[in-house]
Amino acid sequence: MQFRLSTQRLLQTAVQTAVAAIMVPSMASAATDPFYQYTDSTPLSSIAPGTVLKSRTISVYIAGLKTSYKATQIVYRSTDAMLQPAANVTTVFTPDCASASACPNKNKVISYQSFYDSLNPEDSPSRAFAGGKRLPDMLPAVETMLFGSYVKKGYTVVISDTEGQKANFAAGPEYGYNTLDSIRATFNSPQIGLNNNAKVALIGYSGGAIATEWAAELAPTYAPDVNANLIGAAFGGTLVSPEHNLSYIEDAPMWGGVMPMAVIGVSRSYNIDIQKYLTERGLDVYNKMQKASIAYVLFQYSNVSWKALVKPEYQDRTKIPEYVAAVNKVIMGTGGTPTIPLQIGQGTGGIWEGTKPSPLWGKGDGVMLAGDVRSLARQYCAQGVKVQHKEYGSSHFVTMVSWLPGATAWIDDRFAGKPAPENCASIAPGNSLEPLVYTP
């Protein structure tokens, strides 16, 4: 117990120190930088998903500091959660090739999905890489440990703004569309110059796992052209069924604020006006979180529960038809079945970060539920997917560090053409992933 308390204090001190840092306005903002705006006369509905709309070359900034790296940023046509056309942005790192022989890894593509978790489009990776100096823009400095080695080895690395230009946090299908179309745009860009047969591996943790998993399950139907190039997906700390997670993390000292963040993000993506359901306290939280990054939410909403936020007549979420319809659309495994092998990691030591096991859904890593992840893995196993699944007895942040070496080694093996391992027979049963039922 002493170790767990010490871990909680260490995490809280680290987060609070970061939040206390001096804020400097971003150098490249969506509001002032015309690059992010699609203004051509051709309607997006007439343009194929993954089409390059415009591009530019940037000097890459990490933690607000200019580096020697260059990257290509592409505005491309994608699709939102309502299946409407949208424009989005991706950042592509490519090796500096004097000749094809000088870049043997260029046609090995890593689609890395960031865990920038925010309701503010200003916090997207593309803004940070272009020179952002706000606190959330420091995130790529942390994430370089997940994708930086591939950049150094001369792989092509694609990092899209997975949440779209409205930052619809937790809207899984939208993350998937944006990810797949960013890969399409990378292949479609003459500036990048990929071979049509280039191989692509997906990787992401936490918020990045949302995009990675949804891209894998949507690819066969939404982007069969991309699916033909995919060789595998590795993800960890995964949000499988947001409805389950709401009850797991509410009132949790560290992760409690993610509950209203997710409700706002999903309702925004599906055009739901949730204000009519909220109490005065709920409206206060709603207004404060309109552009909240997770950097400003951790440890700030330890006493936020559904009961405190929502009017008495809506305490039973199954009585809100809009909520039921939307939350069912973001259950993983409902958008299709991956045709590529998967590597999945998940922690179970959520108590380290102050989140108690759920009486209904069991243990998690503090924010994500292990039982949900097991059920998703077993579902895909039953559908013939090769799944390597592993649980760690640690919390969300600690598990990321433990999971990463195995995930990258697994991806390296996919590029090497080795047979994908699987341990489907040893994955324990998990929670039911049945959709919520509306009860008038």
Side-chain angles (χ1 to χ4, degrees):
M1 179 58 71
Q2 181 61 41
F3 173 72
R4 290 174 179 170
L5 290 174
S6 297
T7 303
Q8 289 176 33
R9 292 192 188 104
L10 180 61
L11 287 166
Q12 184 167 7
T13 300
V15 172
Q16 289 177 337
T17 300
V19 173
I22 298 175
M23 297 294 99
V24 181
S26 175
M27 292 172 58
S29 76
T32 60
D33 189 340
F35 176 75
Y36 290 90
Q37 311 305 320
Y38 176 71
T39 57
D40 289 2
S41 58
T42 304
L44 286 173
S45 58
S46 301
I47 300 173
T51 298
V52 175
L53 303 176
K54 60 174 119 172
S55 63
R56 68 181 179 185
T57 300
I58 62 165
S59 294
V60 175
Y61 285 73
I62 301 292
L65 301 176
K66 188 176 181 179
T67 73
S68 60
Y69 285 102
K70 300 289 185 181
T72 301
Q73 292 194 320
I74 301 171
V75 178
Y76 61 96
R77 198 280 212 188
S78 193
T79 302
D80 66 16
M82 300 292 287
L83 300 180
Q84 296 300 307
N88 199 42
V89 180
T90 193
T91 303
V92 185
F93 292 81
T94 52
D96 186 7
C97 300
S99 65
S101 60
C103 291
N105 292 328
K106 179 177 180 178
N107 287 299
K108 296 176 181 177
V109 182
I110 297 291
S111 178
Y112 173 75
Q113 286 62 250
S114 168
F115 49 80
Y116 64 101
D117 302 345
S118 180
L119 291 166
N120 188 350
E122 290 295 316
D123 297 335
S124 61
S126 67
R127 275 79 165 183
F129 290 129
K133 292 184 177 179
R134 301 162 66 254
L135 176 59
D137 296 330
M138 305 299 110
L139 185 59
V142 177
E143 293 195 288
T144 52
M145 72 182 228
L146 282 90
F147 69 83
S149 64
Y150 289 106
V151 174
K152 291 179 180 178
K153 289 188 290 187
Y155 286 51
T156 297
V157 179
V158 185
I159 306 173
S160 69
D161 295 352
T162 53
E163 296 180 6
Q165 292 207 51
K166 295 181 180 178
N168 291 329
F169 173 66
E174 188 165 338
Y175 283 44
Y177 300 139
N178 286 326
T179 298
L180 292 168
D181 286 326
S182 75
I183 298 170
R184 275 176 164 155
T186 302
F187 273 89
N188 289 335
S189 171
Q191 188 173 345
I192 304 301
L194 285 178
N195 186 293
N196 289 337
N197 295 320
K199 301 303 181 184
V200 183
L202 304 161
I203 184 170
Y205 189 83
S206 191
I210 299 175
T212 301
E213 196 286 335
W214 275 101
E217 72 170 82
L218 291 171
T221 53
Y222 178 76
D225 51 326
V226 173
N227 195 59
N229 295 84
L230 296 180
I231 60 172
F235 52 90
T238 309
L239 179 64
V240 176
S241 178
E243 158 62 18
H244 296 178
N245 291 73
L246 296 190
S247 58
Y248 173 52
I249 63 174
E250 65 177 353
D251 286 326
M254 181 174 178
W255 293 103
V258 176
M259 184 266 285
M261 271 189 74
V263 172
I264 292 169
V266 172
S267 65
R268 182 190 290 175
S269 67
Y270 290 105
N271 297 328
I272 300 171
D273 178 14
I274 63 170
Q275 297 180 72
K276 59 189 175 185
Y277 303 114
L278 302 180
T279 61
E280 184 175 344
R281 168 67 170 148
L283 287 169
D284 180 58
V285 172
Y286 175 86
N287 291 328
K288 287 179 179 178
M289 280 196 174
Q290 284 304 297
K291 292 187 176 181
S293 161
I294 198 168
Y296 307 123
V297 168
L298 297 182
F299 293 111
Q300 305 304 305
Y301 293 88
S302 59
N303 61 343
V304 171
S305 64
W306 183 266
K307 183 177 180 180
L309 300 180
V310 178
K311 294 175 181 177
E313 59 267 36
Y314 302 116
Q315 291 301 308
D316 181 351
R317 294 195 282 271
T318 66
K319 297 186 179 301
I320 308 176
E322 295 171 302
Y323 173 86
V324 172
V327 82
N328 285 340
K329 291 176 182 177
V330 295
I331 300 173
M332 286 182 175
T334 58
T337 302
T339 60
I340 55 174
L342 307 177
Q343 193 267 12
I344 307 172
Q346 179 60 45
T348 62
I351 193 66
W352 292 12
E353 293 173 2
T355 309
K356 298 177 182 178
S358 166
L360 187 58
W361 307 117
K363 292 182 179 180
D365 62 8
V367 62
M368 309 301 187
L369 286 160
D372 286 6
V373 176
R374 290 197 302 273
S375 291
L376 181 70
R378 287 168 61 93
Q379 174 181 320
Y380 287 152
C381 285
Q383 294 166 333
V385 181
K386 288 189 175 182
V387 178
Q388 184 184 61
H389 169 272
K390 183 175 181 179
E391 287 189 352
Y392 302 81
S394 49
S395 62
H396 192 70
F397 285 119
V398 178
T399 297
M400 180 183 72
V401 178
S402 303
W403 161 82
L404 178 60
T408 53
W410 184 89
I411 283 178
D412 291 344
D413 285 347
R414 303 291 73 72
F415 281 116
K418 296 181 180 180
E422 59 89 11
N423 63 336
C424 288
S426 65
I427 302 174
N431 302 321
S432 170
L433 296 181
E434 287 297 311
L436 207 61
V437 177
Y438 172 54
T439 55

